[in-house]
Amino acid sequence: MQTRYSYGGDEHIFVEMDEEMSLEAFFKSMSITNAVRAAHIDGITEICPANGSFQIKFDPDRIAPDVLMSRLQSLEQAANKAEKRLETRIVEVPVFYRDPWTTETLMRFRERHQDPQSTDLEYAARMNGYDTVEQFIHAHHASPWFVSMVGFVAGLPFLYQLVERSRQIQVPKYLRPRTDTPKHTIGHGGCFGCVYSVRGAGGYQMFGITPMPIYDPTQKVSYLREFMVFFRPGDIVKWKPIDREEYDAITADVAANRYEPRIRKVTFDLDSFNADIDGTNQRLMETLHGV
């Protein structure tokens, strides 16, 4: 990886680990930003990580830009030697694939899609070499996903599939953005999955919907009372396919404050993952289900 530093006006430095997203880029970015936080550099006012990059906001009256740039480059050298291990959690997220709400929405915007004659799932299945939508859905939920960033829209996670690059789902965004996307839509664009935390415009292909709230500014949802945003960078997510009856049951449990997501603590080691991807994913599933 070739790290690139650039100034963004008088108060920002943007640091990009690589041109492409990878777990290696994420871990390097995480190591550097953790080192920056630990250094307590006077003049830094905000650190904003984003996938395999990050942005630093600083006060130029308190630290000169060239001095800060030099400090960041020194911290990068130390971060290169940091252990690529993360204490995190694995979360099970229920997904109602081919739900009526995203289906109705996608049908309203077919003129903005690459293939107006197909649904988003049919198009994604074909683009990824699957004969049927069922095969594609299985590929989508069979392996875990890694939360590489939370943001852009409040509480929205970007997710990166934990499989070999050759097996990762790839599908372009809509040709033109929609003006509507249902809240809690499970979407995908490029190599990234996402969960739409609020209703609004969007361009990712729509595969389904989750009944599990992930953002609650009122903090009335039982598991969001301490913090209004559910996901954190580094979370590992396992989709769980559900049907309409299960969707309705979970929705009722959320409303009654009875629903609690399945969450387990895990240690994710990048070197171990790269050495045995399928074995690592199997161990993650065993931890999630208490095997």
Side-chain angles (χ1 to χ4, degrees), residues 21 31 53 82 90 142 192 198 201 224 230 240 268:
M21 169 56 195
S31 295
S53 63
I90 184 167
F192 288 108
V198 297
L224 295 175
F230 179 76
K240 178 186 178 183
F268 183 83

PDB file of all heavy atoms in Angstrom, residues 21 31 53 82 90 142 192 198 201 224 230 240 268:
ATOM      1  N   MET A  21     -10.461  -0.385  -1.432  1.00  0.00           N
ATOM      2  CA  MET A  21     -10.771  -0.815  -0.080  1.00  0.00           C
ATOM      3  C   MET A  21     -10.266  -2.231   0.134  1.00  0.00           C
ATOM      4  O   MET A  21     -10.392  -3.104  -0.722  1.00  0.00           O
ATOM      5  CB  MET A  21     -12.285  -0.762   0.160  1.00  0.00           C
ATOM      6  CG  MET A  21     -12.752  -1.428   1.451  1.00  0.00           C
ATOM      7  SD  MET A  21     -11.955  -0.762   2.936  1.00  0.00           S
ATOM      8  CE  MET A  21     -12.379  -2.030   4.137  1.00  0.00           C
ATOM      9  N   SER A  31      -5.000   1.702  12.872  1.00  0.00           N
ATOM     10  CA  SER A  31      -3.796   1.789  13.702  1.00  0.00           C
ATOM     11  C   SER A  31      -3.285   3.217  13.786  1.00  0.00           C
ATOM     12  O   SER A  31      -2.894   3.696  14.859  1.00  0.00           O
ATOM     13  CB  SER A  31      -2.702   0.876  13.141  1.00  0.00           C
ATOM     14  OG  SER A  31      -3.081  -0.472  13.213  1.00  0.00           O
ATOM     15  N   SER A  53      -9.310   4.998   4.808  1.00  0.00           N
ATOM     16  CA  SER A  53      -8.775   6.354   4.795  1.00  0.00           C
ATOM     17  C   SER A  53      -9.253   7.082   6.053  1.00  0.00           C
ATOM     18  O   SER A  53     -10.044   6.544   6.823  1.00  0.00           O
ATOM     19  CB  SER A  53      -9.237   7.103   3.539  1.00  0.00           C
ATOM     20  OG  SER A  53     -10.652   7.234   3.535  1.00  0.00           O
ATOM     21  N   ALA A  82       2.160  -2.321  14.072  1.00  0.00           N
ATOM     22  CA  ALA A  82       1.112  -2.652  15.036  1.00  0.00           C
ATOM     23  C   ALA A  82       0.468  -3.992  14.706  1.00  0.00           C
ATOM     24  O   ALA A  82       0.378  -4.401  13.540  1.00  0.00           O
ATOM     25  CB  ALA A  82       0.044  -1.559  15.055  1.00  0.00           C
ATOM     26  N   ILE A  90     -19.593  -9.772  17.039  1.00  0.00           N
ATOM     27  CA  ILE A  90     -20.322 -10.264  15.883  1.00  0.00           C
ATOM     28  C   ILE A  90     -21.809 -10.145  16.181  1.00  0.00           C
ATOM     29  O   ILE A  90     -22.258 -10.456  17.298  1.00  0.00           O
ATOM     30  CB  ILE A  90     -19.925 -11.712  15.517  1.00  0.00           C
ATOM     31  CG1 ILE A  90     -20.654 -12.152  14.235  1.00  0.00           C
ATOM     32  CG2 ILE A  90     -20.149 -12.681  16.665  1.00  0.00           C
ATOM     33  CD1 ILE A  90     -20.103 -13.428  13.626  1.00  0.00           C
ATOM     34  N   ALA A 142     -24.544 -16.159   3.498  1.00  0.00           N
ATOM     35  CA  ALA A 142     -23.815 -17.318   4.002  1.00  0.00           C
ATOM     36  C   ALA A 142     -22.537 -16.948   4.744  1.00  0.00           C
ATOM     37  O   ALA A 142     -22.122 -17.661   5.665  1.00  0.00           O
ATOM     38  CB  ALA A 142     -23.486 -18.275   2.851  1.00  0.00           C
ATOM     39  N   PHE A 192     -19.503  -2.684  -1.645  1.00  0.00           N
ATOM     40  CA  PHE A 192     -20.003  -2.415  -0.299  1.00  0.00           C
ATOM     41  C   PHE A 192     -21.489  -2.724  -0.149  1.00  0.00           C
ATOM     42  O   PHE A 192     -22.304  -2.362  -1.005  1.00  0.00           O
ATOM     43  CB  PHE A 192     -19.792  -0.949   0.077  1.00  0.00           C
ATOM     44  CG  PHE A 192     -18.364  -0.580   0.341  1.00  0.00           C
ATOM     45  CD1 PHE A 192     -17.661   0.205  -0.555  1.00  0.00           C
ATOM     46  CD2 PHE A 192     -17.719  -1.025   1.480  1.00  0.00           C
ATOM     47  CE1 PHE A 192     -16.342   0.544  -0.320  1.00  0.00           C
ATOM     48  CE2 PHE A 192     -16.407  -0.686   1.737  1.00  0.00           C
ATOM     49  CZ  PHE A 192     -15.711   0.092   0.830  1.00  0.00           C
ATOM     50  N   VAL A 198     -32.180   5.528   7.640  1.00  0.00           N
ATOM     51  CA  VAL A 198     -33.362   6.384   7.558  1.00  0.00           C
ATOM     52  C   VAL A 198     -33.944   6.284   6.149  1.00  0.00           C
ATOM     53  O   VAL A 198     -33.285   5.825   5.217  1.00  0.00           O
ATOM     54  CB  VAL A 198     -33.037   7.867   7.869  1.00  0.00           C
ATOM     55  CG1 VAL A 198     -32.544   8.026   9.300  1.00  0.00           C
ATOM     56  CG2 VAL A 198     -32.007   8.409   6.870  1.00  0.00           C
ATOM     57  N   ALA A 201     -33.301   9.397  -0.163  1.00  0.00           N
ATOM     58  CA  ALA A 201     -32.745   9.113  -1.483  1.00  0.00           C
ATOM     59  C   ALA A 201     -31.671   8.039  -1.384  1.00  0.00           C
ATOM     60  O   ALA A 201     -31.129   7.759  -0.310  1.00  0.00           O
ATOM     61  CB  ALA A 201     -32.167  10.391  -2.079  1.00  0.00           C
ATOM     62  N   LEU A 224     -30.753   0.736  22.172  1.00  0.00           N
ATOM     63  CA  LEU A 224     -30.123   1.969  21.703  1.00  0.00           C
ATOM     64  C   LEU A 224     -30.263   3.101  22.725  1.00  0.00           C
ATOM     65  O   LEU A 224     -30.083   4.268  22.381  1.00  0.00           O
ATOM     66  CB  LEU A 224     -30.737   2.393  20.362  1.00  0.00           C
ATOM     67  CG  LEU A 224     -30.485   1.448  19.185  1.00  0.00           C
ATOM     68  CD1 LEU A 224     -31.245   1.911  17.949  1.00  0.00           C
ATOM     69  CD2 LEU A 224     -29.000   1.334  18.879  1.00  0.00           C
ATOM     70  N   PHE A 230     -26.299   2.090  16.365  1.00  0.00           N
ATOM     71  CA  PHE A 230     -26.012   0.707  16.735  1.00  0.00           C
ATOM     72  C   PHE A 230     -24.634   0.250  16.276  1.00  0.00           C
ATOM     73  O   PHE A 230     -23.859  -0.313  17.064  1.00  0.00           O
ATOM     74  CB  PHE A 230     -27.072  -0.234  16.158  1.00  0.00           C
ATOM     75  CG  PHE A 230     -26.825  -1.679  16.486  1.00  0.00           C
ATOM     76  CD1 PHE A 230     -27.093  -2.165  17.752  1.00  0.00           C
ATOM     77  CD2 PHE A 230     -26.301  -2.547  15.543  1.00  0.00           C
ATOM     78  CE1 PHE A 230     -26.846  -3.493  18.077  1.00  0.00           C
ATOM     79  CE2 PHE A 230     -26.052  -3.875  15.846  1.00  0.00           C
ATOM     80  CZ  PHE A 230     -26.327  -4.352  17.122  1.00  0.00           C
ATOM     81  N   LYS A 240     -29.289 -12.895   8.689  1.00  0.00           N
ATOM     82  CA  LYS A 240     -30.130 -14.073   8.936  1.00  0.00           C
ATOM     83  C   LYS A 240     -31.419 -13.912   8.130  1.00  0.00           C
ATOM     84  O   LYS A 240     -32.237 -13.040   8.419  1.00  0.00           O
ATOM     85  CB  LYS A 240     -30.477 -14.197  10.417  1.00  0.00           C
ATOM     86  CG  LYS A 240     -31.390 -15.394  10.718  1.00  0.00           C
ATOM     87  CD  LYS A 240     -31.839 -15.410  12.165  1.00  0.00           C
ATOM     88  CE  LYS A 240     -32.787 -16.571  12.437  1.00  0.00           C
ATOM     89  NZ  LYS A 240     -33.298 -16.563  13.829  1.00  0.00           N
ATOM     90  N   PHE A 268     -10.883 -10.571  16.195  1.00  0.00           N
ATOM     91  CA  PHE A 268     -10.637 -10.759  14.768  1.00  0.00           C
ATOM     92  C   PHE A 268      -9.175 -10.469  14.487  1.00  0.00           C
ATOM     93  O   PHE A 268      -8.687  -9.364  14.717  1.00  0.00           O
ATOM     94  CB  PHE A 268     -11.526  -9.846  13.936  1.00  0.00           C
ATOM     95  CG  PHE A 268     -11.377 -10.053  12.458  1.00  0.00           C
ATOM     96  CD1 PHE A 268     -12.076 -11.068  11.813  1.00  0.00           C
ATOM     97  CD2 PHE A 268     -10.528  -9.242  11.696  1.00  0.00           C
ATOM     98  CE1 PHE A 268     -11.938 -11.273  10.438  1.00  0.00           C
ATOM     99  CE2 PHE A 268     -10.385  -9.438  10.328  1.00  0.00           C
ATOM    100  CZ  PHE A 268     -11.097 -10.457   9.703  1.00  0.00           C
TER     101      PHE A 268
END
